[in-house]
Structure formats: structure tokens, C-alpha cells
């Protein structure tokens, strides 16, 4: 199968007038056949991760494409290094790469000429970026807003190139500052404001239904609301391709030195005294809670609801006027995926039961070690490894079947549906391989450290070396964490999982 790759970005089309349709038409003439697959991108050639190019590279890898036709080398990429990466991939798989404007000869002279054209294309792209950046900075220094920055409370007037107040959103901004800076019975803290706005179904800037605490925090810290808006503050170079990258490969926005910021006055929404007070409260809250210990919970991080799967965290509540501490799976945070099924259990009761269980193990370490030895073959870790191995095998079989279906050309599923299924299965396979490696590494580390029985014996030795009344709260918590992996709470029973 012949693949045609075409790409044009907005600035290139405006400059040369050579549209995608023109490229595809010329490439089809070069192909000399109607049996072609088109791969079309309308994004910058600066980045290697582009939707259509990624799809083409994957199809080449899977043997679906045997010949690639492109108008010009700079359509593949504006960076020489990326051009060489792509052509090397094609060469290794025996895929013929053909250009409409000039041939790609696999000779020393041909490769030299190809590299020179790539270097020139990269230089041209760098010059375009430099001119555009300089133009944007000069425009900002003239007091003109570069674009709509999507700041909550403001809109953008393209005729005057200025920010304008959106009164319906400005009302919400003033409400946020009032709720945070003035005593009230409605909410408590930033998270309370986020939950309040979510409950009142106030839409966010993007029209979403859920407000997150970080969004509220950013609003409270944004100087634009007192009429100080900075342009050229953030360096976003390389972020354009983030939507095509995995989370760990994404480029992060970086703040430029303050002397490079360009101040632009804009309409104020809140008065400066309110804003300054909000900043003091934000700093005070950080100082007040830094290093301060909340009520300690014996099983913190170990308890989970057996039905909904939510972690059960400790909290203080009131019962007939007195403080009661409990573990609950209820998640009040705005944006929580699962709000829990409402299970609650008193800390006092659960702590006592788990400690008595652990103490009985530590009183009879050899019996417990023998029990651990008996269940070694079906340990928690090995069971998870077996499950992941089976799931990985099923995923790989599914991918092979879809590839056969794609190659056969049957119409049971559309081509795009098959591609989507293949992408999803590939992502799933990658995740399963990572998880399997983590569990196998965990088992290896446990074996190297002298296995679980030694861990239990060490804990028992420490426990038996002290009198029961000498054990502090921290001692008990450390001992529990030494031997208990997780505690699952069900309506009628409790399951304790050991290491």
C-alpha cells in the first residue's frame, strides 16, 4: 500500500499559498495509482509528534505501508534531526521514500544533499519563529493584547485589541474574593469555595460543571483582577505539540525572568486592598499549617472501603456535642471521581480491632510465619502477576486479530474504527507491561531482602523486646505498617491483608 503524507501550517499556507489539496494532487500524480492512503496534518512541522505522521509511522512499523510519497523533505519535518529519524525508520523497514520535488538517492551525495535541504528548512523555521516572537513582543509593548488569554472575568475585543470585563463572570470573581476574605457561614477555605461553586452549578471558563481548588487558588493570586496584566511572562516554547505527547514527555510552561515581563493595564474587578488581604491570608494559611500535625490516625493510608474501593481517611465529626474521630470513604473534594458510598467506622473501634490482630501475630511470630509460608504460592503479589500476565496475553491476541482484519480489508469494521481499537490495545498493552514489571520488581526486592517471614520476625522481635505499656502510639503505627498492607472494611466483616 502507498502512503501519501501532506502537511501545511497556517503561516506556511499564507506565505506560499500551497494548500493541502495541491500537495495531495501532486503526490497522487507521482504515485500513479488510486490505491493510496492519505496522511494529512495541519500543524507545525517543528514537532515530531503529529497525529497523521504518528499514524503513518505506526502503519509503516506494522507493515501496512510499503511506499511513502511526500511533496518535499520539509513536509516531513522542519528539523533536520527529526527528518533523519523518520527516514532511518523507513529505511530499516525497507519502505521507499519518494519526493515530488527532487529524488532521495541513497548515495553519499544524495544523503548530503538531503541533509543540506533539511538544515536549510530548519534554519528557515527558526527565522520565522524569531520574527514572529519579536513582532509579538513589540505589539505587547505598544499596549495591545496579543490574543484572548481566556482569563475568567474577562473577554477580548479584537477591534481594540484590549481585555474587557465580562460582568456575569466578574460577579463570580468578586464572590470568590468575598468568600475567602470575609467571615461567613457558607464555605471554609479554597476547597469549600470550589465545592460551593460546583454545587451552585456555576460554569467555569471552559463551561465545565466542576470547579477545582487549584483554579480558585489561581484566581485569588491573579494580579489581573487589580488591573495588572503581564504579557511575555511565560515561556511556552515547545508546548504546541503537548497534545500529541505522553504525560511524561510533555513540555512544561516556564516563567521568564521578571525584567522580561511586559505590564499592560487592564480593567480592575476587585479593589487592591481586598486583593492584598487575600494574599496575606494565603501566606498565613501556609505558615499556620506548615509542620503542624493534625490528629494522628493509627491506620492512616491503610483503610479502604470494600464495596466502592475508595480510601477511607480519618476525620473529626460531632456526636451529641462531643468530638468523634472516624474513618470514612466520603470524598467532599470538588472533582472527585468517586464520592464514596458513605461508609463510616469509628477510629477507636477499628484501631483496637486491627491492633489486637497484629498483636496476636506478634505474640506468635513462628505460627504466623508458617501461615505466610503456606500461602507463598498464592501470595497477593503472585496473584496480581498472574492476573496481569493473562490480561496482557489477551490484549496481544486481540491486537493480532485486528491486524489480520485490517490486512484482509473486510468491511466488518471501518478502517478508522480498526485504527482506534489498535491504538487503544497498544496503550493498554504498554500499561500492562509497566504494571507487570513493577510487580515483578517488587517480588524480586522482597526476595532479596529476606522475604516476608523475616519482616514479620523483625517486627515481632522489636515488639517482644518492649513491655506492652512502653509502646508509644508511633511504635504501634510503625509495627502495623510493618506487617499490614491494607485493611478493607465491609458491612459485616473486615479483611486484613499482610505483606
Amino acid at each position: 500500500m502507498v502512503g501519501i503524507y501532506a502537511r501545511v501550517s497556517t503561516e506556511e499556507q499564507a506565505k506560499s499559498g500551497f494548500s493541502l489539496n495541491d500537495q495531495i494532487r501532486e503526490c497522487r500524480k507521482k504515485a500513479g495509482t488510486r490505491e493510496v492512503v492519505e496522511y494529512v496534518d495541519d500543524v507545525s512541522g517543528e514537532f515530531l509528534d503529529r497525529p497523521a505522521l504518528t499514524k503513518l509511522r505506526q502503519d509503516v512499523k506494522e507493515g501496512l505501508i510499503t511506499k511513502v510519497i511526500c511533496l518535499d523533505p520539509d513536509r516531513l519535518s522542519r528539523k533536520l534531526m527529526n527528518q533523519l529519524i523518520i527516514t532511518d525508520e523507513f529505511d530499516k523497514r525497507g519502505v521507499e521514500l519518494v519526493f515530488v520535488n527532487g529524488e532521495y538517492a541513497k548515495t553519499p551525495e544524495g544523503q548530503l544533499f538531503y541533509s543540506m535541504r533539511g538544515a536549510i528548512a530548519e534554519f528557515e523555521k527558526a527565522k520565522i519563529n524569531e520574527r514572529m516572537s519579536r513582532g509579538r513582543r513589540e505589539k505587547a509593548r505598544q499596549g495591545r493584547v496579543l490574543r484572548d488569554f481566556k482569563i475568567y472575568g474577562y473577554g477580548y475585543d479584537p477591534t481594540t485589541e484590549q481585555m474587557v470585563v465580562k460582568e456575569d463572570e466578574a460577579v463570580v470573581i468578586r464572590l470568590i474574593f468575598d468568600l475567602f476574605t470575609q467571615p461567613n457561614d457558607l464555605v471554609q477555605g479554597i476547597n469549600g469555595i470550589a465545592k460551593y461553586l460546583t454545587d451552585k452549578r456555576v460554569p467555569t471558563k471552559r463551561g465545565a460543571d466542576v470547579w477545582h481548588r487549584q483554579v480558585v487558588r489561581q484566581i485569588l493570586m491573579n494580579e489581573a483582577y487589580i488591573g495588572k496584566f503581564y504579557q511575555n511572562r511565560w515561556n511556552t516554547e515547545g508546548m504546541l505539540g503537548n497534545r500529541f505527547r505522553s504525560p511524561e514527555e510533555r513540555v512544561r510552561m516556564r516563567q521568564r525572568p521578571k525584567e522580561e515581563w511586559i505590564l499592560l493595564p487592564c480593567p480592575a474587578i476587585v479593589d487592591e486592598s481586598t486583593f492584598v488581604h487575600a494574599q496575606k491570608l494565603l501566606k498565613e494559611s501556609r505558615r499556620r499549617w506548615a509542620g503542624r500535625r493534625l490528629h494522628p490516625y493509627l491506620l492512616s493510608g491503610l483503610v479502604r472501603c470494600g464495596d466502592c474501593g475508595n480510601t477511607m481517611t480519618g476525620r473529626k465529626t460531632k456526636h451529641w456535642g462531643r468530638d468523634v474521630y472516624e474513618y470514612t470513604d466520603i470524598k467532599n473534594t470538588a472533582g472527585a471521581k468517586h464520592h464514596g458510598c458513605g461508609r463510616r467506622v469509628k477510629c477507636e473501634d477499628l484501631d483496637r480491632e486491627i491492633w489486637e490482630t497484629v498483636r496476636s501475630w506478634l505474640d506468635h511470630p513462628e505460627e504466623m510465619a508458617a501461615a505466610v509460608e503456606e500461602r507463598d504460592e498464592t501470595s497477593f503479589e503472585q496473584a496480581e502477576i498472574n492476573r496481569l500476565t493473562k490480561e496482557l496475553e489477551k490484549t496481544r491476541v486481540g491486537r493480532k486479530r485486528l491486524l489480520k482484519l485490517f490486512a484482509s480489508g473486510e468491511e466488518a469494521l471501518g478502517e478508522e474504527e480498526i485504527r482506534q481499537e489498535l491504538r487503544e490495545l497498544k496503550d493498554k498493552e504498554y500499561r500492562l507491561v509497566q504494571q507487570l514489571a513493577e510487580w515483578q520488581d517488587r517480588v524480586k526486592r522482597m526476595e532479596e531482602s529476606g522475604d516476608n517471614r523475616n519482616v514479620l520476625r523483625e517486627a515481632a522481635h522489636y515488639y517482644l523486646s518492649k513491655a506492652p505499656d512502653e509502646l508509644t502510639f508511633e511504635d504501634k503505627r510503625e509495627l502495623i505498617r510493618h506487617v499490614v498492607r491494607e485493611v478493607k472494611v465491609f458491612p459485616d466483616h473486615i479483611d486484613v491483608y499482610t505483606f
Side-chain angles (χ1 to χ4, degrees):
M1 183 71 73
V2 177
I4 289 177
Y5 181 74
R7 179 192 65 79
V8 67
S9 60
T10 305
E11 69 270 15
E12 288 169 338
Q13 187 165 347
K15 177 183 174 184
S16 64
F18 209 62
S19 68
L20 288 170
N21 291 334
D22 295 329
Q23 292 185 47
I24 293 170
R25 183 176 62 252
E26 294 300 318
C27 289
R28 280 186 173 273
K29 285 182 184 178
K30 189 74 173 179
T33 177
R34 293 184 177 180
E35 296 182 358
V36 299
V37 179
E38 296 177 3
Y39 301 85
V40 180
D41 276 319
D42 59 353
V43 295
S44 172
E46 182 180 354
F47 309 108
L48 188 59
D49 294 319
R50 286 168 260 149
L53 181 61
T54 301
K55 186 186 295 184
L56 171 62
R57 293 168 67 193
Q58 183 62 32
D59 289 350
V60 166
K61 185 178 180 181
E62 294 171 358
L64 304 176
I65 299 297
T66 56
K67 183 177 181 179
V68 176
I69 299 177
C70 191
L71 181 73
D72 200 78
D74 67 3
R75 298 302 89 198
L76 284 179
S77 178
R78 281 285 194 173
K79 284 193 173 183
L80 175 59
M81 181 60 70
N82 291 343
Q83 281 187 17
L84 297 177
I85 289 172
I86 296 167
T87 52
D88 184 57
E89 286 182 5
F90 292 173
D91 288 345
K92 284 181 178 179
R93 290 172 173 79
V95 174
E96 183 182 0
L97 179 59
V98 178
F99 297 108
V100 175
N101 298 334
E103 297 296 332
Y104 168 54
K106 295 182 181 179
T107 63
E109 293 82 3
Q111 291 177 345
L112 175 62
F113 181 65
Y114 178 72
S115 299
M116 288 174 62
R117 292 187 67 174
I120 292 169
E122 184 171 347
F123 172 75
E124 184 183 23
K125 179 64 178 178
K127 291 296 292 182
I128 291 172
N129 286 342
E130 194 274 333
R131 284 195 295 267
M132 292 178 65
S133 297
R134 188 170 63 246
R136 284 193 293 264
R137 287 194 297 271
E138 183 57 33
K139 184 178 176 181
R141 291 190 183 99
Q142 294 172 6
R144 297 150 66 190
V145 180
L146 301 177
R147 59 180 174 83
D148 186 358
F149 285 90
K150 305 293 183 185
I151 301 175
Y152 194 88
Y154 293 100
Y156 177 69
D157 186 348
T159 58
T160 61
E161 295 183 304
Q162 296 295 318
M163 294 165 60
V164 294
V165 175
K166 294 184 70 174
E167 196 53 45
D168 58 331
E169 295 179 355
V171 170
V172 179
I173 294 296
R174 296 186 189 103
L175 174 64
I176 289 173
F177 275 90
D178 287 344
L179 291 174
F180 186 71
T181 59
Q182 298 176 13
N184 63 85
D185 297 327
L186 290 176
V187 300
Q188 184 176 2
I190 295 175
N191 190 63
I193 295 173
K195 190 172 186 304
Y196 177 80
L197 295 174
T198 300
D199 292 342
K200 293 297 182 181
R201 298 189 176 180
V202 177
T204 66
K205 189 68 174 179
R206 296 184 297 106
D209 298 326
V210 177
W211 285 74
H212 294 272
R213 70 183 310 276
Q214 189 59 26
V215 175
V216 176
R217 185 180 189 83
Q218 288 170 352
I219 286 175
L220 290 169
M221 297 175 66
N222 195 338
E223 289 184 278
Y225 298 121
I226 56 172
K228 296 180 181 178
F229 176 65
Y230 292 96
Q231 295 189 116
N232 201 50
R233 178 176 179 177
W234 300 100
N235 184 356
T236 60
E237 184 180 354
M239 291 183 63
L240 186 62
N242 278 353
R243 54 180 173 154
F244 313 129
R245 300 185 181 115
S246 61
E248 58 273 10
E249 294 174 335
R250 287 176 185 162
V251 177
R252 297 188 180 276
M253 186 164 56
R254 302 174 301 281
Q255 188 168 273
R256 291 188 172 97
K258 195 160 186 177
E259 56 269 20
E260 295 183 19
W261 299 3
I262 300 173
L263 175 62
L264 180 70
C266 66
I269 293 179
V270 299
D271 60 85
E272 191 163 351
S273 60
T274 301
F275 184 83
V276 170
H277 183 43
Q279 305 318 297
K280 289 180 179 178
L281 290 176
L282 286 169
K283 290 180 181 178
E284 178 66 17
S285 65
R286 286 194 292 268
R287 184 197 64 76
R288 190 185 320 129
W289 292 104
R292 177 177 172 180
R293 295 185 61 185
L294 301 177
H295 177 79
Y297 295 91
L298 191 65
L299 307 177
S300 178
L302 299 178
V303 189
R304 185 180 298 276
C305 175
D307 289 332
C308 71
N310 266 8
T311 55
M312 297 182 68
T313 53
R315 71 173 186 182
K316 181 173 71 172
T317 186
K318 291 284 187 180
H319 182 71
W320 293 94
R322 72 181 183 91
D323 292 340
V324 176
Y325 294 94
E326 64 183 14
Y327 297 106
T328 177
D329 65 2
I330 299 172
K331 305 298 179 187
N332 290 323
T333 305
K337 288 185 177 180
H338 306 290
H339 289 280
C341 57
R343 178 150 301 145
R344 299 186 300 177
V345 58
K346 287 184 179 180
C347 291
E348 182 182 0
D349 296 340
L350 187 61
D351 290 352
R352 182 174 58 251
E353 182 172 349
I354 298 304
W355 172 244
E356 289 300 322
T357 301
V358 171
R359 195 178 69 172
S360 67
W361 294 344
L362 298 176
D363 281 333
H364 307 89
E366 295 305 322
E367 294 179 14
M368 187 59 192
V372 171
E373 187 172 4
E374 287 177 6
R375 68 162 189 257
D376 268 357
E377 294 182 359
T378 57
S379 66
F380 182 88
E381 289 78 13
Q382 190 58 50
E384 191 65 13
I385 288 174
N386 293 341
R387 183 188 70 79
L388 289 170
T389 302
K390 290 179 182 177
E391 192 68 23
L392 183 59
E393 183 60 30
K394 285 169 59 180
T395 304
R396 285 172 172 165
V397 170
R399 280 192 71 196
K400 289 179 181 178
R401 287 176 180 170
L402 279 176
L403 285 171
K404 288 181 180 178
L405 186 63
F406 184 88
S408 68
E410 295 181 14
E411 297 296 330
L413 284 174
E415 180 182 327
E416 189 56 39
E417 291 179 274
I418 294 177
R419 290 181 186 277
Q420 181 63 29
E421 287 284 339
L422 282 170
R423 283 193 292 268
E424 291 175 359
L425 286 174
K426 183 181 177 182
D427 292 342
K428 183 178 180 181
E429 181 179 343
Y430 176 78
R431 290 194 304 270
L432 289 171
V433 168
Q434 294 293 105
Q435 293 172 16
L436 184 60
E438 289 173 3
W439 280 104
Q440 289 171 337
D441 184 58
R442 182 174 180 175
V443 169
K444 184 179 178 181
R445 289 198 309 269
M446 289 165 55
E447 290 173 349
E448 290 174 351
S449 64
D451 72 33
N452 297 332
R453 294 183 297 278
N454 286 343
V455 171
L456 180 62
R457 291 188 179 104
E458 288 173 6
H461 177 74
Y462 178 82
Y463 166 72
L464 295 172
S465 67
K466 291 195 171 190
D469 56 352
E470 291 181 0
L471 290 172
T472 64
F473 178 88
E474 286 72 19
D475 287 336
K476 292 180 179 179
R477 186 162 58 178
E478 189 63 27
L479 285 167
I480 289 173
R481 275 159 175 67
H482 225 61
V483 296
V484 175
R485 179 194 297 109
E486 189 173 73
V487 177
K488 283 190 176 180
V489 180
F490 294 89
D492 54 352
H493 68 284
I494 295 169
D495 287 343
V496 183
Y497 297 89
T498 63
F499 287 100

